[in-house]
Amino acid sequence: MEHVDRCVVLVDAGYLLGAAASLLAGEPSRSRITVDHAGLIQQLRQRAEAETALPLLRIYWFDGAPDRVPQPEHRRLRVMPRVTVRLGALTRSDGRWAQKGVDAAMHTELTELARNRACSDIVLVTGDGDLLPGLMSAKEHGVAVHLWAVQAADGDYNQSEDLVAEADERRVLDRTWITRAVRARDLSGLCAPPPAPRPEIAAILSAPLPEAALAASAERAAEAAAGGAAARAAAPAHDGTGPAPHRDGAHPNGTGVPVPAAKGVPTPKDLAGLRAPGSAPAPALAAQGASALRWSSDRGWVERPVSTVGEPPETASLPTLATLTSAEQRWADREEDITTVGGDPFEVGQVFARRWMERLPEQGHVQKLSTLYPRIPHRIDGELLRYAARFGLLAHKDDQIDEHDRYAIRAGFWREIDVRAAAEPAPAPGPGPATP
């Protein structure tokens, strides 16, 4: 059986983008560059077909990802025509990221394509000498191997010499070719003061604890001091005007961000920055004042009012997105997630909230939810976080979403809710404490 006259491209993304970063930004960190992946794929296809004078069968994109969970760029790549994404693991050791399994996957694909006579020419974009046995095997099966290099920053080779020696053809992707789809990221702002955190996240981080949580925290602090812990004994006594210290001295949400004292506790007016421009503050803020609910993402911990038993009646009637979504909508949602949603935590929260609101049978549910700010009902919140996990937002150490990302997800959710709530007549808020 003869080889089919077509070409295949195997791309080691770690090599291609790392070498491009070295060339354009002076170091191999991919965070130093921005990549137009669609443009890059198109360039690879056009060049491969021109160099081999054959039609393209497929581009295989090999990359690493934490726990092999596709990142936003992988999700965009794998729906492009003629592109197949293969993921290895990405692990962190001694402060550096390292790929695991990518070389083995490339070797397997290379040898299988040659053995099955799926193509007559294979383009390899890599520099790793571990692929030498696979390259030699492909040649023995009658496949012509083209090896492409990224122009080295120092003008020397950035590929294995043995790999270069065994390739049938070798080409260099120079700076001009690379910069059509890859740019050095502008890092001039690094010397400037770091930007302030998003006001939406800052407001949620500083929301005060309910009285029950304050009492529990104070009790834990007292027990620790009675136990003879020197650090606790030396700490100033809590005066009852602000949130009590956590048992390990950290912020109650586990982020290490201190909670302001009562003088700095945000009032409904202070937290108005979380609301969309032109919208009214949440009635719950006016009603609860300084006792506004404080929630945390530490292992899913949520502090509810003492009087709450089971699901509160005001939230039990709120439907989840799953119950509002038809099979056809579910399919369309997945298509949108893959092709247009970038995976930014704030954006993920907005997308979820928008879908939920658009499918509500009664728009009064939006105002009802708004009165519960800052707590998202448990069933909807869990569904929101499970949705976010699809975008690779897990902290891979323990399959939990990063603390800061959780706040950003929820802040995006509330921002979208507020945009809708501002456009609808709000229920009259109950009496609340006077705002200074």
Side-chain angles (χ1 to χ4, degrees), residues 44-125:
L44 288 168
R45 177 173 186 168
Q46 291 175 348
R47 180 147 184 169
E49 291 181 334
E51 293 280 350
T52 64
L54 295 171
L56 177 78
L57 170 62
R58 190 173 299 115
I59 295 175
Y60 289 89
W61 185 272
F62 296 86
D63 204 359
D67 292 342
R68 291 184 168 84
V69 176
Q71 302 301 295
E73 66 186 73
H74 303 138
R75 296 172 53 254
R76 289 191 291 270
L77 281 163
R78 65 186 184 181
V79 296
M80 294 180 186
R82 303 278 179 158
V83 177
T84 295
V85 176
R86 297 278 189 261
L87 294 180
L90 191 63
T91 60
R92 192 170 181 84
S93 177
D94 297 327
R96 300 183 63 182
W97 289 100
Q99 294 182 158
K100 300 289 186 182
V102 172
D103 299 338
M106 289 191 71
H107 178 275
T108 300
E109 202 69 57
L110 175 60
T111 55
E112 286 297 312
L113 286 167
R115 183 180 297 113
N116 294 325
R117 301 181 180 272
C119 59
S120 58
D121 291 66
I122 292 180
V123 175
L124 285 178
V125 186

Side-chain angles (χ1 to χ4, degrees), residues 20 55 80 98 177 197 214 231 259 268 281 397 404:
M80 294 180 186
W177 191 93
L214 292 175
V259 179
K397 179 180 178 181
H404 187 273

Side-chain angles (χ1 to χ4, degrees), residues 209 216-225 229 231-232 235 244-259 296 298 301 403:
L209 285 163
S217 295
E219 183 178 350
R220 285 194 299 268
E223 289 175 355
R232 302 295 188 272
H246 195 255
R247 61 177 176 271
D248 58 3
H251 186 280
N253 66 5
T255 63
V257 180
V259 179
S296 171
D298 183 16
W301 172 76
E403 184 83 18

Side-chain angles (χ1 to χ4, degrees), residues 382-404:
E383 189 180 39
L384 168 62
L385 296 179
R386 286 192 297 274
Y387 170 67
R390 298 179 188 173
F391 295 88
L393 293 175
L394 295 178
H396 305 282
K397 179 180 178 181
D398 53 7
D399 289 336
Q400 296 289 317
I401 295 179
D402 178 77
E403 184 83 18
H404 187 273

Side-chain angles (χ1 to χ4, degrees), residues 310-320 365 368 372 375 377 379-380:
E311 183 74 7
E314 68 271 19
T315 66
S317 62
L318 294 176
T320 62
H365 285 312
K368 183 181 295 186
L372 302 176
R375 183 172 73 86
R379 291 175 301 120
I380 297 175

Side-chain angles (χ1 to χ4, degrees), residues 3-331:
H3 289 288
V4 178
D5 289 335
R6 53 193 179 189
C7 66
V8 170
V9 181
L10 306 184
V11 180
D12 179 350
Y15 165 78
L16 173 59
L17 300 182
S22 293
L23 178 64
L24 303 181
E27 61 180 83
S29 172
R30 287 159 65 169
S31 64
R32 300 291 303 272
I33 56 175
T34 58
V35 184
D36 172 9
H37 289 89
L40 183 57
I41 291 296
Q42 184 63 24
Q43 286 180 223
L44 288 168
R45 177 173 186 168
Q46 291 175 348
R47 180 147 184 169
E49 291 181 334
E51 293 280 350
T52 64
L54 295 171
L56 177 78
L57 170 62
R58 190 173 299 115
I59 295 175
Y60 289 89
W61 185 272
F62 296 86
D63 204 359
D67 292 342
R68 291 184 168 84
V69 176
Q71 302 301 295
E73 66 186 73
H74 303 138
R75 296 172 53 254
R76 289 191 291 270
L77 281 163
R78 65 186 184 181
V79 296
M80 294 180 186
R82 303 278 179 158
V83 177
T84 295
V85 176
R86 297 278 189 261
L87 294 180
L90 191 63
T91 60
R92 192 170 181 84
S93 177
D94 297 327
R96 300 183 63 182
W97 289 100
Q99 294 182 158
K100 300 289 186 182
V102 172
D103 299 338
M106 289 191 71
H107 178 275
T108 300
E109 202 69 57
L110 175 60
T111 55
E112 286 297 312
L113 286 167
R115 183 180 297 113
N116 294 325
R117 301 181 180 272
C119 59
S120 58
D121 291 66
I122 292 180
V123 175
L124 285 178
V125 186
T126 185
D128 198 331
D130 290 345
L131 281 176
L132 181 61
L135 186 153
M136 296 175 68
S137 175
K139 290 174 62 177
E140 291 170 359
H141 283 87
V143 173
V145 180
H146 305 249
L147 183 65
W148 290 0
V150 175
Q151 178 181 338
D154 55 8
D156 201 354
Y157 287 138
N158 53 15
Q159 291 177 305
S160 160
E161 290 187 18
D162 292 335
L163 209 61
V164 172
E166 284 292 333
D168 294 303
E169 301 283 348
R170 183 174 183 267
R171 296 289 184 270
V172 175
L173 307 176
D174 61 19
R175 181 186 293 268
T176 300
W177 191 93
I178 292 292
T179 52
R180 292 176 192 165
V182 183
R183 295 283 189 274
R185 193 183 297 273
D186 182 12
L187 299 177
S188 58
L190 286 181
C191 297
R198 284 178 176 148
E200 297 87 357
I201 300 173
I204 295 175
L205 283 171
S206 60
L209 285 163
E211 297 301 326
L214 292 175
S217 295
E219 183 178 350
R220 285 194 299 268
E223 289 175 355
R232 302 295 188 272
H238 181 56
D239 61 5
T241 61
H246 195 255
R247 61 177 176 271
D248 58 3
H251 186 280
N253 66 5
T255 63
V257 180
V259 179
K263 187 175 181 180
V265 169
T267 64
K269 181 179 180 180
D270 298 326
L271 283 173
L274 180 57
R275 321 306 291 175
S279 65
L285 287 176
Q288 295 176 7
S291 63
L293 181 71
R294 176 75 169 103
W295 44 256
S296 171
S297 63
D298 183 16
R299 300 286 184 179
W301 172 76
V302 176
E303 185 72 40
R304 295 187 175 90
V306 178
S307 60
T308 298
V309 178
E311 183 74 7
E314 68 271 19
T315 66
S317 62
L318 294 176
T320 62
L321 180 60
T323 61
L324 297 170
T325 304
S326 66
E328 292 78 9
Q329 288 172 324
R330 191 172 295 109
W331 185 91

